[in-house]
Amino acid sequence: MLRAGDLLVLTGGLGAGKTTFTQGLGRGLGVRSGIISPTFVLVRIHPSLPDGPNPGGPDLVHVDAYRLESPTEIDDIDLENTLDSAVTVVEWGAGLVEHLAESRLEIELQRGTGVAGADAALEDDEPRVIRIHAVGPRWAVVDLSALAETVQ
């Protein structure tokens, strides 16, 4: 369902699965592999692969806003240059990136119930709860109910 110009804002605690979610999204979009957290570089661009599953599809721009404190700092990394031509995913972006697009998907990831604690070691197969909130006219006409079954 995603297309160039879409903005996804990921929230969730440390280890909730934001980068793992982005890795799966990148596979689905058919972009260059090697998606890792851009914590220290802030932004990584993963181009669409011409011989991948979605040739000619949008690039993936992956942002980590964990260390940023204001929307002005987001503006300084100049996401406007790629926003229209890529799917943009911003980890820790709540309260910082909403001004970039009229429409967005706000995706909250939480570790599943029954976990020993927020600092417990994560298991690859540990369940997560994902909540998707669609904002704006882009998503007003899209039925997201099918996603509930897809991500379980």
Side-chain angles (χ1 to χ4, degrees), residues 1-8 25 28-29 54 56-61 82-89 101 103-105 136-142:
M1 284 192 243
L2 294 175
R3 62 184 186 211
D6 287 341
L7 174 65
L8 285 72
L25 179 64
L29 289 173
N54 189 21
D59 295 342
L60 174 65
V61 174
T82 58
L83 201 59
D84 290 338
S85 62
V87 171
T88 302
V89 175
S103 297
R104 65 188 171 278
L105 292 177
R138 156 81 169 102
W139 298 106
V141 296
V142 177

Side-chain angles (χ1 to χ4, degrees), residues 11 14-15 36 40 46 67-68 70 84 95 108 127 134-135 152:
T11 60
L14 291 171
I36 61 172
F40 298 105
H46 300 275
R67 297 183 296 139
L68 303 181
S70 73
D84 290 338
E108 177 187 2
V135 176
Q152 287 185 2

Side-chain angles (χ1 to χ4, degrees), residues 92-118:
W92 305 98
L96 299 173
V97 299
E98 291 81 357
H99 69 285
L100 293 175
E102 182 179 23
S103 297
R104 65 188 171 278
L105 292 177
E106 297 173 349
I107 302 173
E108 177 187 2
L109 294 101
Q110 294 180 337
R111 293 170 69 176
T113 58
V115 176

Side-chain angles (χ1 to χ4, degrees), residues 32-106:
R32 182 185 68 209
S33 63
I35 295 174
I36 61 172
S37 180
T39 301
F40 298 105
V41 296
L42 301 180
V43 179
R44 292 186 187 273
I45 299 174
H46 300 275
S48 178
L49 297 173
D51 58 348
N54 189 21
D59 295 342
L60 174 65
V61 174
H62 185 198
V63 180
D64 188 323
Y66 182 75
R67 297 183 296 139
L68 303 181
E69 296 179 5
S70 73
T72 303
E73 289 179 292
I74 287 289
D75 292 342
D76 288 345
I77 60 176
D78 208 18
L79 291 177
E80 292 85 9
N81 281 333
T82 58
L83 201 59
D84 290 338
S85 62
V87 171
T88 302
V89 175
V90 183
E91 296 185 26
W92 305 98
L96 299 173
V97 299
E98 291 81 357
H99 69 285
L100 293 175
E102 182 179 23
S103 297
R104 65 188 171 278
L105 292 177
E106 297 173 349

Side-chain angles (χ1 to χ4, degrees), residues 18-36:
K18 295 177 295 296
T19 298
T20 300
F21 178 91
T22 305
Q23 290 168 342
L25 179 64
R27 281 191 300 276
L29 289 173
V31 301
R32 182 185 68 209
S33 63
I35 295 174
I36 61 172

